[in-house]
Amino acid sequence: FAAPHALPPLMEAAKRGHFECVLLLLDKGANHRAQDGKGDTALALASWKGHAPVVAALCAGGADVDYADQDGWTALMGAASSGNLDTVNVLIKAGAEVNLQNKHRLTAVKLAATEGNRHAVVALLEAGAVLSGQKRARDKRGKFVKVGLAGNRPGAMVRSRLQTPSTIAQGYSPMDPKN
């Protein structure tokens, strides 16, 4: 018999990145909606660990890319926070909503920026992520321009023009108050 806190086989395989096992379990009808005690699913566990092929298989198998655990965390937030760029890209391609907020009103792009995951920040901004209180549009040259602000509070953008994603990759951080 299973230990009292053992994960279902699909969740365990996803957490460990066992791609072939995940495919087999999905093919045999494993429940991709099963949750652990915190409300995490196989997709969330694989996303946190950066198992992009497993995440792709779970998405293709019908996993809800925008499902949030009891704290409001989505798979995309976990991948962005952990700096798993390949997984971030898989989730974006699968249609994950880039602007969802967790219970602390943090989005995937804020979490990625806070953790210093520049490439994830770039991917999320290019997918349409917005920073708090800001609306985004592109000007005629394709640069992101700010058309609204939340005000001058910690973490709010105070620049009149957002840097391009390539500038962020070169060291610009949208969460750095001196920028």
Side-chain angles (χ1 to χ4, degrees), residues 54-66:
V54 170
V55 169
L58 290 165
C59 290
D64 180 359
V65 294
D66 290 329

Side-chain angles (χ1 to χ4, degrees), residues 31-70:
N31 182 6
H32 57 74
R33 292 180 184 94
Q35 301 172 18
D36 66 9
K38 293 182 3 181
D40 287 329
T41 61
L43 181 64
L45 296 175
S47 295
W48 272 99
K49 297 288 187 172
H51 302 307
V54 170
V55 169
L58 290 165
C59 290
D64 180 359
V65 294
D66 290 329
Y67 171 80
D69 69 12
Q70 64 190 21

Side-chain angles (χ1 to χ4, degrees), residues 134-135 139 144-149 157-163 172 179:
Q134 140 192 340
K135 296 178 183 173
D139 66 13
F144 294 111
V145 293
K146 181 172 44 191
V147 294
L149 281 177
M157 292 294 295
V158 293
R159 298 177 68 85
S160 63
R161 177 177 216 101
L162 287 176
Q163 300 295 322
Y172 172 82
N179 284 325

Side-chain angles (χ1 to χ4, degrees), residues 47-50 77-84 115 117:
S47 295
W48 272 99
K49 297 288 187 172
M77 290 175 190
S81 176
S82 300
N84 299 314
E115 296 298 326
N117 300 322

